[in-house]
Amino acid sequence: MCERSSNNGNGNNSNRQRPQEEGAGEGNTAAPWKWLSLVVPSRSTNASALPLFFEGDTISGRVEVDIDKAESCKGVTIALQGSTTFVGQEEEVFLKEEIPLWMPSGKEGKLSGKLSWPFKLVLPPEVDVKDGEAKGRFRIPPNFTERASPSYIDYKLIVTVKRGFLRVNQTLVTNFGYQPSILPELPSPLRRLAYSEGSPLIGPDGDPEGWKVLPQVKIKGTLFNTKDVEVNCTLAIAKPLSYAIGSPIPLMITFTGEDAQALDVLANPTAIQLLLRRSMATGSDGTDDNAVRRTDNFFFENAGVAYFWPSREGAEESNRRVLQGELEVVKTLKPSFKFPKFTIRYSLDLLPFKAPGFTSAPSPPNAGNNPVLLTEWVNIATKQVPGITPHSYAPPGYEKPQAIDYNKSLGLLENGNQRFLHHHR
């Protein structure tokens, strides 16, 4: 049980945690109130974490009070609230459902003793929200409370005891986590078969429906300061381009060229810099995929790194190297979502190769400051399709790179000339 306390009936809240089975808030209040408490079972498996609910859940629980002597009261309510907050701006409420728990009737206008009121609140899957000049219907987003973020999404349960004219209401507020139900699209039939049988994945040539082959990239540079080299690189990403948290993204990368030494240097798994990157778009054009991005409303974070190993395909060809790879989508990632003024997107970005003895050729003048060689936008889902169990194909004993955990990782956000150090939680 997670308990959150209010004190002195003034609406201020402090937190304390107890290892019990239900999420609750409880407060020592001003006399004659002994306590006001909120008890809410949830999906959270960690007593120190926030209560957690999934899309489609009904939030049910009870509100309890203990009052020494009868006191006049105008009513008791509980509300479910969802809101966005942007640094330097007021909170914007996009969801509020309030129901009465107790209302005075006739001579029964006072509360006394120990009382308990059960309640049920339904989380709607979608809400109508203004996006620019027009209203649109949007799936409600997950909670988002990373420290030092420029934007936050909060969900709360708010109990209010209305105490009448010139008297301060008694309130109890408990935040909770919310996760929408987002499924990826089905993999190709051949990939589904490989997953079910535990057989090797078939590459783009044998399963064209299961892969997106990106445009070829020419890697030019100098090798060991003695000769200019050129190698062609082709990246293939498993289709459909949507992946559930906790699952790997299958990858294949092919190198071709006339210089075998250059192929060996660049086709080394440690030379490949392929990242999963999260972008956060805020502001009035956050939902617009084609909007011009600025450093004060568009923020990038690295969310994962791919790892590769030699594939059996092309292993004996002198002018071709093929590597198989994966990128693990960690369970702590928030899913992709679009919401007015706050949108989360993900992309796979191939950066310039880093290999001992290889120096990349200077970028052309029209490349600007963007070092990315290839970008492909992908969607991150919260649940796997029932019956599909993707698994890693990394060789036994293969040492994967350390996963980026959004609960623990550090990152930098650049906002104009300011830098914010991130402590994710």
Side-chain angles (χ1 to χ4, degrees):
M1 182 190 293
C2 299
E3 295 194 351
R4 282 162 173 73
S5 305
S6 61
N7 48 38
N8 299 324
N10 59 8
N12 294 328
N13 293 286
S14 61
N15 296 330
R16 66 177 183 270
Q17 311 294 337
R18 292 183 182 175
Q20 301 178 30
E21 294 180 352
E22 298 176 299
E26 180 179 293
N28 294 323
T29 63
W33 295 75
K34 282 187 176 180
W35 71 69
L36 167 65
S37 64
L38 168 65
V39 182
V40 187
S42 85
R43 293 179 180 268
S44 178
T45 58
N46 186 344
S48 64
L50 294 177
L52 174 65
F53 300 97
F54 291 173
E55 181 178 327
D57 282 351
T58 296
I59 302 176
S60 59
R62 65 185 184 274
V63 173
E64 299 176 341
V65 296
D66 190 355
I67 309 170
D68 273 342
K69 62 181 181 180
E71 181 175 274
S72 297
C73 179
K74 297 296 184 181
V76 182
T77 63
I78 185 167
L80 181 161
Q81 178 177 297
S83 62
T84 53
T85 305
F86 306 94
V87 172
Q89 300 181 32
E90 294 294 323
E91 179 182 49
E92 297 183 17
V93 176
F94 61 82
L95 168 64
K96 188 160 188 180
E97 303 283 346
E98 187 173 31
I99 58 173
L101 299 176
W102 178 88
M103 298 297 289
S105 60
K107 295 181 179 180
E108 296 182 6
K110 293 186 177 183
L111 295 175
S112 64
K114 294 182 178 180
L115 300 169
S116 177
W117 301 287
F119 67 87
K120 286 186 178 181
L121 290 162
V122 178
L123 279 161
E126 298 178 331
V127 289
D128 292 321
V129 186
K130 190 173 182 180
D131 186 18
E133 297 300 319
K135 261 195 173 183
R137 194 154 188 82
F138 293 87
R139 182 196 292 266
I140 64 173
N143 65 297
F144 192 97
T145 56
E146 291 178 8
R147 196 175 304 164
S149 171
S151 304
Y152 302 88
I153 299 173
D154 291 303
Y155 291 93
K156 304 171 185 175
L157 291 173
I158 306 169
V159 178
T160 304
V161 179
K162 300 175 182 179
R163 304 178 71 185
F165 184 64
L166 296 180
R167 303 186 69 187
V168 177
N169 290 341
Q170 182 72 39
T171 61
L172 180 64
V173 180
T174 296
N175 290 75
F176 65 88
Y178 172 74
Q179 180 172 289
S181 181
I182 305 172
L183 274 67
E185 298 176 60
L186 275 173
S188 69
L190 287 176
R191 178 165 296 114
R192 296 202 300 270
L193 183 63
Y195 287 153
S196 64
E197 294 182 345
S199 56
L201 293 182
I202 299 175
D205 291 341
D207 183 19
E209 183 183 344
W211 296 88
K212 180 168 184 178
V213 181
L214 301 187
Q216 188 180 83
V217 174
K218 290 187 179 296
I219 307 169
K220 298 180 180 181
T222 304
L223 199 60
F224 303 119
N225 292 321
T226 59
K227 59 180 177 180
D228 295 332
V229 294
E230 180 177 306
V231 170
N232 298 317
C233 169
T234 303
L235 175 65
I237 305 170
K239 288 198 310 185
L241 301 175
S242 57
Y243 315 96
I245 56 174
S247 65
I249 301 176
L251 305 162
M252 294 198 78
I253 191 165
T254 303
F255 299 86
T256 58
E258 300 302 321
D259 191 307
Q261 187 180 30
L263 284 174
D264 290 336
V265 168
L266 292 173
N268 187 311
T270 61
I272 306 167
Q273 310 294 312
L274 180 63
L275 304 178
L276 178 67
R277 304 178 81 186
R278 186 188 76 181
S279 65
M280 178 194 301
T282 64
S284 59
D285 56 5
T287 58
D288 186 351
D289 292 333
N290 301 312
V292 176
R293 305 303 182 189
R294 307 187 308 272
T295 57
D296 63 346
N297 70 354
F298 193 65
F299 309 92
F300 269 113
E301 291 268 353
N302 292 339
V305 58
Y307 45 94
F308 292 87
W309 59 91
S311 169
R312 290 174 297 180
E313 295 190 29
E316 297 182 0
E317 297 183 38
S318 61
N319 63 342
R320 186 170 180 260
R321 306 286 186 274
V322 180
L323 302 181
Q324 185 175 345
E326 295 172 347
L327 193 151
E328 185 177 356
V329 181
V330 297
K331 293 182 179 180
T332 50
L333 281 188
K334 295 295 183 182
S336 308
F337 66 87
K338 280 188 178 183
F339 200 72
K341 298 185 180 181
F342 195 157
T343 292
I344 294 293
R345 299 177 176 88
Y346 290 91
S347 62
L348 287 173
D349 289 359
L350 180 65
L351 304 184
F353 288 70
K354 293 183 178 180
F358 176 76
T359 304
S360 295
S363 301
N366 60 354
N369 295 322
N370 184 10
V372 178
L373 303 176
L374 285 174
T375 294
E376 187 64 38
W377 294 97
V378 299
N379 287 314
I380 301 302
T382 58
K383 299 170 66 176
Q384 189 53 260
V385 177
I388 303 296
T389 309
H391 57 85
S392 174
Y393 282 86
Y398 187 87
E399 187 174 345
K400 301 178 183 180
Q402 184 176 359
I404 297 175
D405 187 339
Y406 268 90
N407 289 324
K408 301 177 181 178
S409 67
L410 294 178
L412 290 174
L413 278 185
E414 185 174 354
N415 184 349
N417 293 323
Q418 294 179 312
R419 285 190 177 272
F420 302 93
L421 183 63
H422 269 191
H423 299 276
H424 298 300
R425 63 181 181 178

